[in-house]
Amino acid sequence: MIVPDNNCSKCNLCRERTNIVLPCGDLKAKVVLVGEAPGESEDFRGIPFVGKSGQILDSAMAAAGLKRSDVMITNTVKCRPPKNRDPTEEEMSACRQFLNSELEYCSMIVGLGRSAVMDLIGYEGNLWKIANKKMNIVIDGREKVFLPTYHPMSCVYRKESEVKLIEAMMIVKAFMEQ
Ligand code: URA
């Protein structure tokens, strides 16, 4: 796996970061969950999904019988965007070599929310049209199953998103047992 060095300045997100946030969980997992970008808690601790979004993700995983240590959890970009704005296409593409190296050994990738789906398959339409529909994609010449779904934060105000996120985790669980 290629990781950014401590002084990485491939994009402007380096200016305000506290910590670079590297993947957690099983780094050789069959399934990788890709979030959008670190938030305040993640920037502070250097670990993905440890704040409010992380609590929601953990409970969706638990509802499907999954633990964090069953999968790898990472983000499109490894540094926090100021004021938690969405990462830009330029920032995601500057960080893409790191993400691609994290995805080398997995068979399934779950895109959590619009930014991850945009980065991984270039889709900018409505997420509800493709949410929880498995598709095949190729990353660095290797075929992977891709599962687009909702970001944990979108579950805060929308019950349907939470139902879909739990369903996505059930699809992951079934895939892991294949
Ligand atoms: N939101 C994300 O997309 N990723 C994190 O690591 C935390 C919040």
Side-chain angles (χ1 to χ4, degrees), residues 44-92:
F44 184 67
R45 293 181 52 191
I47 305 169
F49 284 101
V50 287
K52 174 82 179 153
S53 303
Q55 286 168 13
I56 298 166
L57 180 61
D58 286 348
S59 65
M61 290 177 76
L66 288 169
K67 300 185 297 297
R68 272 182 174 245
S69 55
D70 293 330
V71 297
M72 186 200 294
I73 303 177
T74 190
N75 282 302
T76 62
V77 293
K78 314 303 173 208
C79 300
R80 182 193 183 195
K83 301 193 179 114
N84 293 346
R85 64 159 170 75
D86 293 347
T88 65
E89 266 184 75
E90 291 71 32
E91 289 157 355
M92 291 192 288

mmCIF file of all heavy atoms in Angstrom, residues 44-92:
data_model
loop_
_atom_site.group_PDB
_atom_site.id
_atom_site.type_symbol
_atom_site.label_atom_id
_atom_site.label_comp_id
_atom_site.label_asym_id
_atom_site.label_seq_id
_atom_site.Cartn_x
_atom_site.Cartn_y
_atom_site.Cartn_z
ATOM 1 N N PHE A 44 -8.500 15.103 14.074
ATOM 2 C CA PHE A 44 -7.877 15.183 15.392
ATOM 3 C C PHE A 44 -7.210 13.857 15.759
ATOM 4 O O PHE A 44 -6.102 13.831 16.281
ATOM 5 C CB PHE A 44 -8.970 15.545 16.413
ATOM 6 C CG PHE A 44 -8.460 15.760 17.794
ATOM 7 C CD1 PHE A 44 -7.632 16.849 18.080
ATOM 8 C CD2 PHE A 44 -8.799 14.891 18.818
ATOM 9 C CE1 PHE A 44 -7.150 17.047 19.369
ATOM 10 C CE2 PHE A 44 -8.314 15.089 20.100
ATOM 11 C CZ PHE A 44 -7.489 16.171 20.376
ATOM 12 N N ARG A 45 -7.904 12.737 15.450
ATOM 13 C CA ARG A 45 -7.375 11.434 15.894
ATOM 14 C C ARG A 45 -6.599 10.672 14.825
ATOM 15 O O ARG A 45 -5.911 9.694 15.131
ATOM 16 C CB ARG A 45 -8.531 10.549 16.395
ATOM 17 C CG ARG A 45 -9.142 11.120 17.668
ATOM 18 C CD ARG A 45 -10.255 10.284 18.218
ATOM 19 N NE ARG A 45 -9.889 8.876 18.381
ATOM 20 C CZ ARG A 45 -10.760 7.906 18.655
ATOM 21 N NH1 ARG A 45 -12.039 8.201 18.804
ATOM 22 N NH2 ARG A 45 -10.375 6.657 18.779
ATOM 23 N N GLY A 46 -6.744 11.091 13.569
ATOM 24 C CA GLY A 46 -6.023 10.396 12.494
ATOM 25 C C GLY A 46 -6.616 9.041 12.144
ATOM 26 O O GLY A 46 -5.920 8.180 11.583
ATOM 27 N N ILE A 47 -7.906 8.827 12.446
ATOM 28 C CA ILE A 47 -8.571 7.541 12.163
ATOM 29 C C ILE A 47 -9.901 7.842 11.454
ATOM 30 O O ILE A 47 -10.635 8.744 11.888
ATOM 31 C CB ILE A 47 -8.877 6.765 13.472
ATOM 32 C CG1 ILE A 47 -7.598 6.582 14.300
ATOM 33 C CG2 ILE A 47 -9.530 5.406 13.189
ATOM 34 C CD1 ILE A 47 -7.845 6.059 15.716
ATOM 35 N N PRO A 48 -10.237 7.097 10.357
ATOM 36 C CA PRO A 48 -11.492 7.369 9.644
ATOM 37 C C PRO A 48 -12.740 7.029 10.471
ATOM 38 O O PRO A 48 -12.726 6.076 11.255
ATOM 39 C CB PRO A 48 -11.447 6.439 8.427
ATOM 40 C CG PRO A 48 -10.076 5.881 8.365
ATOM 41 C CD PRO A 48 -9.458 6.030 9.720
ATOM 42 N N PHE A 49 -13.787 7.792 10.284
ATOM 43 C CA PHE A 49 -15.122 7.503 10.849
ATOM 44 C C PHE A 49 -15.092 7.228 12.362
ATOM 45 O O PHE A 49 -15.510 6.167 12.819
ATOM 46 C CB PHE A 49 -15.780 6.327 10.095
ATOM 47 C CG PHE A 49 -16.327 6.723 8.745
ATOM 48 C CD1 PHE A 49 -15.623 6.444 7.576
ATOM 49 C CD2 PHE A 49 -17.536 7.398 8.634
ATOM 50 C CE1 PHE A 49 -16.124 6.828 6.332
ATOM 51 C CE2 PHE A 49 -18.044 7.784 7.396
ATOM 52 C CZ PHE A 49 -17.336 7.489 6.247
ATOM 53 N N VAL A 50 -14.607 8.211 13.102
ATOM 54 C CA VAL A 50 -14.641 8.077 14.566
ATOM 55 C C VAL A 50 -15.560 9.109 15.230
ATOM 56 O O VAL A 50 -15.691 9.132 16.445
ATOM 57 C CB VAL A 50 -13.225 8.164 15.195
ATOM 58 C CG1 VAL A 50 -12.433 6.901 14.915
ATOM 59 C CG2 VAL A 50 -12.481 9.418 14.734
ATOM 60 N N GLY A 51 -16.188 9.989 14.423
ATOM 61 C CA GLY A 51 -17.115 10.983 14.977
ATOM 62 C C GLY A 51 -18.559 10.508 14.815
ATOM 63 O O GLY A 51 -18.843 9.313 14.823
ATOM 64 N N LYS A 52 -19.451 11.470 14.641
ATOM 65 C CA LYS A 52 -20.891 11.182 14.504
ATOM 66 C C LYS A 52 -21.165 10.206 13.334
ATOM 67 O O LYS A 52 -21.916 9.242 13.478
ATOM 68 C CB LYS A 52 -21.624 12.518 14.289
ATOM 69 C CG LYS A 52 -23.077 12.423 13.992
ATOM 70 C CD LYS A 52 -23.891 12.246 15.247
ATOM 71 C CE LYS A 52 -25.376 12.171 14.941
ATOM 72 N NZ LYS A 52 -26.128 11.425 15.931
ATOM 73 N N SER A 53 -20.541 10.481 12.173
ATOM 74 C CA SER A 53 -20.737 9.582 11.016
ATOM 75 C C SER A 53 -20.283 8.175 11.354
ATOM 76 O O SER A 53 -20.892 7.192 10.909
ATOM 77 C CB SER A 53 -19.904 10.015 9.812
ATOM 78 O OG SER A 53 -20.183 11.288 9.438
ATOM 79 N N GLY A 54 -19.207 8.090 12.110
ATOM 80 C CA GLY A 54 -18.667 6.786 12.489
ATOM 81 C C GLY A 54 -19.629 6.011 13.364
ATOM 82 O O GLY A 54 -19.792 4.794 13.207
ATOM 83 N N GLN A 55 -20.309 6.718 14.278
ATOM 84 C CA GLN A 55 -21.285 6.034 15.146
ATOM 85 C C GLN A 55 -22.415 5.450 14.303
ATOM 86 O O GLN A 55 -22.881 4.341 14.536
ATOM 87 C CB GLN A 55 -21.894 7.014 16.148
ATOM 88 C CG GLN A 55 -20.954 7.401 17.270
ATOM 89 C CD GLN A 55 -21.505 8.592 18.065
ATOM 90 O OE1 GLN A 55 -22.664 8.963 17.940
ATOM 91 N NE2 GLN A 55 -20.649 9.189 18.872
ATOM 92 N N ILE A 56 -22.850 6.247 13.310
ATOM 93 C CA ILE A 56 -23.951 5.780 12.452
ATOM 94 C C ILE A 56 -23.493 4.588 11.601
ATOM 95 O O ILE A 56 -24.209 3.591 11.457
ATOM 96 C CB ILE A 56 -24.468 6.940 11.568
ATOM 97 C CG1 ILE A 56 -25.029 8.054 12.447
ATOM 98 C CG2 ILE A 56 -25.514 6.441 10.564
ATOM 99 C CD1 ILE A 56 -25.270 9.370 11.731
ATOM 100 N N LEU A 57 -22.273 4.696 11.075
ATOM 101 C CA LEU A 57 -21.732 3.589 10.268
ATOM 102 C C LEU A 57 -21.587 2.331 11.122
ATOM 103 O O LEU A 57 -21.992 1.238 10.709
ATOM 104 C CB LEU A 57 -20.376 3.992 9.666
ATOM 105 C CG LEU A 57 -19.687 2.945 8.800
ATOM 106 C CD1 LEU A 57 -20.544 2.568 7.591
ATOM 107 C CD2 LEU A 57 -18.317 3.445 8.329
ATOM 108 N N ASP A 58 -21.038 2.491 12.319
ATOM 109 C CA ASP A 58 -20.866 1.336 13.216
ATOM 110 C C ASP A 58 -22.209 0.669 13.495
ATOM 111 O O ASP A 58 -22.312 -0.558 13.512
ATOM 112 C CB ASP A 58 -20.249 1.762 14.561
ATOM 113 C CG ASP A 58 -18.768 2.088 14.443
ATOM 114 O OD1 ASP A 58 -18.161 1.767 13.401
ATOM 115 O OD2 ASP A 58 -18.213 2.675 15.392
ATOM 116 N N SER A 59 -23.250 1.470 13.729
ATOM 117 C CA SER A 59 -24.518 0.815 14.069
ATOM 118 C C SER A 59 -25.153 0.166 12.846
ATOM 119 O O SER A 59 -25.773 -0.895 12.960
ATOM 120 C CB SER A 59 -25.461 1.723 14.858
ATOM 121 O OG SER A 59 -25.838 2.785 14.079
ATOM 122 N N ALA A 60 -24.968 0.741 11.652
ATOM 123 C CA ALA A 60 -25.476 0.074 10.430
ATOM 124 C C ALA A 60 -24.729 -1.251 10.221
ATOM 125 O O ALA A 60 -25.332 -2.274 9.861
ATOM 126 C CB ALA A 60 -25.300 0.979 9.219
ATOM 127 N N MET A 61 -23.409 -1.229 10.464
ATOM 128 C CA MET A 61 -22.632 -2.463 10.315
ATOM 129 C C MET A 61 -23.087 -3.508 11.337
ATOM 130 O O MET A 61 -23.281 -4.676 10.997
ATOM 131 C CB MET A 61 -21.130 -2.170 10.484
ATOM 132 C CG MET A 61 -20.552 -1.383 9.325
ATOM 133 S SD MET A 61 -18.822 -0.969 9.582
ATOM 134 C CE MET A 61 -18.062 -2.528 9.247
ATOM 135 N N ALA A 62 -23.275 -3.056 12.581
ATOM 136 C CA ALA A 62 -23.685 -3.992 13.640
ATOM 137 C C ALA A 62 -25.042 -4.613 13.312
ATOM 138 O O ALA A 62 -25.256 -5.811 13.527
ATOM 139 C CB ALA A 62 -23.725 -3.274 14.979
ATOM 140 N N ALA A 63 -25.950 -3.807 12.733
ATOM 141 C CA ALA A 63 -27.284 -4.324 12.375
ATOM 142 C C ALA A 63 -27.178 -5.452 11.347
ATOM 143 O O ALA A 63 -28.061 -6.302 11.242
ATOM 144 C CB ALA A 63 -28.158 -3.194 11.845
ATOM 145 N N ALA A 64 -26.090 -5.426 10.568
ATOM 146 C CA ALA A 64 -25.892 -6.469 9.549
ATOM 147 C C ALA A 64 -24.940 -7.562 10.044
ATOM 148 O O ALA A 64 -24.554 -8.445 9.272
ATOM 149 C CB ALA A 64 -25.346 -5.830 8.270
ATOM 150 N N GLY A 65 -24.527 -7.465 11.306
ATOM 151 C CA GLY A 65 -23.620 -8.483 11.855
ATOM 152 C C GLY A 65 -22.175 -8.284 11.452
ATOM 153 O O GLY A 65 -21.393 -9.238 11.417
ATOM 154 N N LEU A 66 -21.808 -7.035 11.157
ATOM 155 C CA LEU A 66 -20.414 -6.756 10.754
ATOM 156 C C LEU A 66 -19.696 -5.940 11.823
ATOM 157 O O LEU A 66 -20.306 -5.098 12.488
ATOM 158 C CB LEU A 66 -20.393 -5.932 9.458
ATOM 159 C CG LEU A 66 -20.780 -6.633 8.160
ATOM 160 C CD1 LEU A 66 -20.963 -5.592 7.061
ATOM 161 C CD2 LEU A 66 -19.718 -7.650 7.747
ATOM 162 N N LYS A 67 -18.387 -6.164 11.917
ATOM 163 C CA LYS A 67 -17.543 -5.346 12.794
ATOM 164 C C LYS A 67 -16.583 -4.542 11.925
ATOM 165 O O LYS A 67 -16.287 -4.939 10.799
ATOM 166 C CB LYS A 67 -16.705 -6.236 13.716
ATOM 167 C CG LYS A 67 -17.509 -7.152 14.630
ATOM 168 C CD LYS A 67 -16.603 -7.903 15.599
ATOM 169 C CE LYS A 67 -15.610 -8.859 14.943
ATOM 170 N NZ LYS A 67 -16.131 -9.970 14.201
ATOM 171 N N ARG A 68 -16.062 -3.469 12.482
ATOM 172 C CA ARG A 68 -15.065 -2.672 11.757
ATOM 173 C C ARG A 68 -13.880 -3.510 11.303
ATOM 174 O O ARG A 68 -13.336 -3.285 10.232
ATOM 175 C CB ARG A 68 -14.499 -1.599 12.685
ATOM 176 C CG ARG A 68 -15.266 -0.347 12.677
ATOM 177 C CD ARG A 68 -14.572 0.633 13.585
ATOM 178 N NE ARG A 68 -15.266 1.858 13.434
ATOM 179 C CZ ARG A 68 -14.768 2.977 12.913
ATOM 180 N NH1 ARG A 68 -13.533 3.068 12.591
ATOM 181 N NH2 ARG A 68 -15.512 4.025 12.755
ATOM 182 N N SER A 69 -13.488 -4.452 12.145
ATOM 183 C CA SER A 69 -12.300 -5.251 11.826
ATOM 184 C C SER A 69 -12.555 -6.254 10.696
ATOM 185 O O SER A 69 -11.643 -6.909 10.232
ATOM 186 C CB SER A 69 -11.807 -5.979 13.081
ATOM 187 O OG SER A 69 -12.877 -6.729 13.614
ATOM 188 N N ASP A 70 -13.802 -6.368 10.226
ATOM 189 C CA ASP A 70 -14.107 -7.272 9.102
ATOM 190 C C ASP A 70 -13.766 -6.634 7.759
ATOM 191 O O ASP A 70 -13.682 -7.323 6.743
ATOM 192 C CB ASP A 70 -15.612 -7.611 9.070
ATOM 193 C CG ASP A 70 -16.048 -8.435 10.266
ATOM 194 O OD1 ASP A 70 -15.224 -9.206 10.788
ATOM 195 O OD2 ASP A 70 -17.222 -8.300 10.683
ATOM 196 N N VAL A 71 -13.676 -5.308 7.718
ATOM 197 C CA VAL A 71 -13.501 -4.584 6.448
ATOM 198 C C VAL A 71 -12.379 -3.556 6.589
ATOM 199 O O VAL A 71 -11.907 -3.306 7.695
ATOM 200 C CB VAL A 71 -14.804 -3.832 6.050
ATOM 201 C CG1 VAL A 71 -15.954 -4.794 5.796
ATOM 202 C CG2 VAL A 71 -15.193 -2.807 7.111
ATOM 203 N N MET A 72 -11.984 -2.972 5.458
ATOM 204 C CA MET A 72 -11.103 -1.799 5.518
ATOM 205 C C MET A 72 -11.992 -0.566 5.366
ATOM 206 O O MET A 72 -12.955 -0.585 4.596
ATOM 207 C CB MET A 72 -10.077 -1.821 4.379
ATOM 208 C CG MET A 72 -9.039 -0.706 4.481
ATOM 209 S SD MET A 72 -8.182 -0.317 2.937
ATOM 210 C CE MET A 72 -7.258 -1.776 2.635
ATOM 211 N N ILE A 73 -11.681 0.493 6.126
ATOM 212 C CA ILE A 73 -12.455 1.736 6.025
ATOM 213 C C ILE A 73 -11.494 2.860 5.661
ATOM 214 O O ILE A 73 -10.457 3.047 6.319
ATOM 215 C CB ILE A 73 -13.163 2.060 7.360
ATOM 216 C CG1 ILE A 73 -14.067 0.888 7.790
ATOM 217 C CG2 ILE A 73 -13.978 3.348 7.231
ATOM 218 C CD1 ILE A 73 -14.758 1.077 9.135
ATOM 219 N N THR A 74 -11.833 3.595 4.603
ATOM 220 C CA THR A 74 -10.957 4.683 4.162
ATOM 221 C C THR A 74 -11.792 5.809 3.561
ATOM 222 O O THR A 74 -13.021 5.808 3.651
ATOM 223 C CB THR A 74 -9.893 4.134 3.177
ATOM 224 O OG1 THR A 74 -8.909 5.150 2.929
ATOM 225 C CG2 THR A 74 -10.507 3.678 1.851
ATOM 226 N N ASN A 75 -11.146 6.777 2.955
ATOM 227 C CA ASN A 75 -11.818 7.943 2.372
ATOM 228 C C ASN A 75 -11.218 8.289 1.021
ATOM 229 O O ASN A 75 -10.080 7.907 0.735
ATOM 230 C CB ASN A 75 -11.648 9.153 3.306
ATOM 231 C CG ASN A 75 -12.580 9.111 4.502
ATOM 232 O OD1 ASN A 75 -13.790 9.062 4.350
ATOM 233 N ND2 ASN A 75 -12.010 9.104 5.690
ATOM 234 N N THR A 76 -11.959 9.075 0.236
ATOM 235 C CA THR A 76 -11.419 9.512 -1.065
ATOM 236 C C THR A 76 -10.174 10.372 -0.862
ATOM 237 O O THR A 76 -9.200 10.236 -1.594
ATOM 238 C CB THR A 76 -12.441 10.350 -1.873
ATOM 239 O OG1 THR A 76 -12.747 11.538 -1.142
ATOM 240 C CG2 THR A 76 -13.715 9.599 -2.168
ATOM 241 N N VAL A 77 -10.217 11.261 0.143
ATOM 242 C CA VAL A 77 -9.041 12.092 0.460
ATOM 243 C C VAL A 77 -8.641 11.843 1.913
ATOM 244 O O VAL A 77 -9.482 11.500 2.741
ATOM 245 C CB VAL A 77 -9.296 13.606 0.228
ATOM 246 C CG1 VAL A 77 -9.490 13.893 -1.248
ATOM 247 C CG2 VAL A 77 -10.487 14.113 1.042
ATOM 248 N N LYS A 78 -7.372 11.994 2.182
ATOM 249 C CA LYS A 78 -6.836 11.612 3.500
ATOM 250 C C LYS A 78 -6.720 12.794 4.462
ATOM 251 O O LYS A 78 -6.264 12.630 5.592
ATOM 252 C CB LYS A 78 -5.452 10.948 3.350
ATOM 253 C CG LYS A 78 -5.363 9.892 2.270
ATOM 254 C CD LYS A 78 -6.369 8.762 2.440
ATOM 255 C CE LYS A 78 -6.350 7.835 1.230
ATOM 256 N NZ LYS A 78 -7.635 7.170 1.007
ATOM 257 N N CYS A 79 -7.087 13.999 4.005
ATOM 258 C CA CYS A 79 -6.991 15.184 4.863
ATOM 259 C C CYS A 79 -8.342 15.897 4.893
ATOM 260 O O CYS A 79 -9.097 15.861 3.917
ATOM 261 C CB CYS A 79 -5.911 16.137 4.354
ATOM 262 S SG CYS A 79 -4.280 15.369 4.315
ATOM 263 N N ARG A 80 -8.630 16.548 6.004
ATOM 264 C CA ARG A 80 -9.938 17.187 6.202
ATOM 265 C C ARG A 80 -10.102 18.453 5.354
ATOM 266 O O ARG A 80 -9.285 19.372 5.464
ATOM 267 C CB ARG A 80 -10.081 17.579 7.666
ATOM 268 C CG ARG A 80 -11.414 18.208 7.969
ATOM 269 C CD ARG A 80 -11.421 18.868 9.328
ATOM 270 N NE ARG A 80 -12.734 19.412 9.617
ATOM 271 C CZ ARG A 80 -12.975 20.286 10.578
ATOM 272 N NH1 ARG A 80 -11.991 20.694 11.359
ATOM 273 N NH2 ARG A 80 -14.192 20.740 10.770
ATOM 274 N N PRO A 81 -11.174 18.528 4.562
ATOM 275 C CA PRO A 81 -11.459 19.786 3.865
ATOM 276 C C PRO A 81 -11.930 20.844 4.871
ATOM 277 O O PRO A 81 -12.667 20.514 5.802
ATOM 278 C CB PRO A 81 -12.575 19.422 2.884
ATOM 279 C CG PRO A 81 -12.539 17.926 2.775
ATOM 280 C CD PRO A 81 -12.067 17.446 4.115
ATOM 281 N N PRO A 82 -11.511 22.109 4.701
ATOM 282 C CA PRO A 82 -11.922 23.155 5.633
ATOM 283 C C PRO A 82 -13.438 23.218 5.771
ATOM 284 O O PRO A 82 -14.165 23.073 4.784
ATOM 285 C CB PRO A 82 -11.393 24.441 4.983
ATOM 286 C CG PRO A 82 -10.327 23.996 4.044
ATOM 287 C CD PRO A 82 -10.680 22.606 3.613
ATOM 288 N N LYS A 83 -13.912 23.417 6.974
ATOM 289 C CA LYS A 83 -15.348 23.509 7.303
ATOM 290 C C LYS A 83 -16.155 22.316 6.788
ATOM 291 O O LYS A 83 -17.349 22.431 6.482
ATOM 292 C CB LYS A 83 -15.948 24.798 6.742
ATOM 293 C CG LYS A 83 -15.264 26.049 7.288
ATOM 294 C CD LYS A 83 -16.057 27.296 6.990
ATOM 295 C CE LYS A 83 -15.377 28.519 7.568
ATOM 296 N NZ LYS A 83 -14.889 29.474 6.569
ATOM 297 N N ASN A 84 -15.483 21.183 6.646
ATOM 298 C CA ASN A 84 -16.142 19.946 6.194
ATOM 299 C C ASN A 84 -16.836 20.068 4.841
ATOM 300 O O ASN A 84 -17.817 19.360 4.579
ATOM 301 C CB ASN A 84 -17.172 19.446 7.220
ATOM 302 C CG ASN A 84 -16.506 18.996 8.505
ATOM 303 O OD1 ASN A 84 -15.295 18.822 8.551
ATOM 304 N ND2 ASN A 84 -17.293 18.831 9.540
ATOM 305 N N ARG A 85 -16.332 20.955 3.969
ATOM 306 C CA ARG A 85 -16.921 21.017 2.621
ATOM 307 C C ARG A 85 -16.582 19.726 1.881
ATOM 308 O O ARG A 85 -15.711 18.961 2.304
ATOM 309 C CB ARG A 85 -16.397 22.243 1.865
ATOM 310 C CG ARG A 85 -14.895 22.209 1.596
ATOM 311 C CD ARG A 85 -14.508 23.138 0.451
ATOM 312 N NE ARG A 85 -13.070 23.279 0.341
ATOM 313 C CZ ARG A 85 -12.242 22.372 -0.146
ATOM 314 N NH1 ARG A 85 -12.700 21.197 -0.556
ATOM 315 N NH2 ARG A 85 -10.944 22.603 -0.222
ATOM 316 N N ASP A 86 -17.290 19.507 0.748
ATOM 317 C CA ASP A 86 -16.977 18.325 -0.069
ATOM 318 C C ASP A 86 -15.570 18.467 -0.642
ATOM 319 O O ASP A 86 -15.158 19.573 -1.008
ATOM 320 C CB ASP A 86 -17.952 18.221 -1.264
ATOM 321 C CG ASP A 86 -19.374 17.916 -0.821
ATOM 322 O OD1 ASP A 86 -19.576 17.551 0.360
ATOM 323 O OD2 ASP A 86 -20.281 18.054 -1.667
ATOM 324 N N PRO A 87 -14.856 17.348 -0.788
ATOM 325 C CA PRO A 87 -13.558 17.431 -1.483
ATOM 326 C C PRO A 87 -13.786 17.765 -2.957
ATOM 327 O O PRO A 87 -14.790 17.340 -3.539
ATOM 328 C CB PRO A 87 -12.967 16.028 -1.316
ATOM 329 C CG PRO A 87 -14.104 15.130 -0.962
ATOM 330 C CD PRO A 87 -15.189 15.977 -0.355
ATOM 331 N N THR A 88 -12.879 18.535 -3.552
ATOM 332 C CA THR A 88 -13.020 18.870 -4.974
ATOM 333 C C THR A 88 -12.486 17.714 -5.833
ATOM 334 O O THR A 88 -11.750 16.856 -5.341
ATOM 335 C CB THR A 88 -12.223 20.141 -5.331
ATOM 336 O OG1 THR A 88 -10.824 19.846 -5.136
ATOM 337 C CG2 THR A 88 -12.636 21.328 -4.478
ATOM 338 N N GLU A 89 -12.831 17.762 -7.117
ATOM 339 C CA GLU A 89 -12.317 16.738 -8.040
ATOM 340 C C GLU A 89 -10.800 16.742 -8.068
ATOM 341 O O GLU A 89 -10.162 15.692 -8.150
ATOM 342 C CB GLU A 89 -12.835 17.027 -9.455
ATOM 343 C CG GLU A 89 -14.099 16.266 -9.762
ATOM 344 C CD GLU A 89 -14.541 16.493 -11.195
ATOM 345 O OE1 GLU A 89 -13.912 15.928 -12.123
ATOM 346 O OE2 GLU A 89 -15.508 17.243 -11.359
ATOM 347 N N GLU A 90 -10.210 17.931 -8.002
ATOM 348 C CA GLU A 90 -8.739 18.051 -8.036
ATOM 349 C C GLU A 90 -8.129 17.397 -6.796
ATOM 350 O O GLU A 90 -7.124 16.703 -6.885
ATOM 351 C CB GLU A 90 -8.294 19.524 -8.083
ATOM 352 C CG GLU A 90 -8.599 20.260 -9.370
ATOM 353 C CD GLU A 90 -10.095 20.545 -9.561
ATOM 354 O OE1 GLU A 90 -10.818 20.741 -8.556
ATOM 355 O OE2 GLU A 90 -10.534 20.574 -10.730
ATOM 356 N N GLU A 91 -8.754 17.647 -5.647
ATOM 357 C CA GLU A 91 -8.227 17.053 -4.404
ATOM 358 C C GLU A 91 -8.359 15.526 -4.443
ATOM 359 O O GLU A 91 -7.435 14.799 -4.067
ATOM 360 C CB GLU A 91 -8.963 17.640 -3.193
ATOM 361 C CG GLU A 91 -8.588 19.100 -2.939
ATOM 362 C CD GLU A 91 -9.630 19.889 -2.142
ATOM 363 O OE1 GLU A 91 -10.722 19.353 -1.844
ATOM 364 O OE2 GLU A 91 -9.353 21.057 -1.833
ATOM 365 N N MET A 92 -9.506 15.065 -4.932
ATOM 366 C CA MET A 92 -9.694 13.608 -5.000
ATOM 367 C C MET A 92 -8.703 13.002 -5.988
ATOM 368 O O MET A 92 -8.137 11.939 -5.724
ATOM 369 C CB MET A 92 -11.140 13.270 -5.377
ATOM 370 C CG MET A 92 -12.121 13.610 -4.260
ATOM 371 S SD MET A 92 -13.783 12.940 -4.481
ATOM 372 C CE MET A 92 -14.418 13.951 -5.788
#
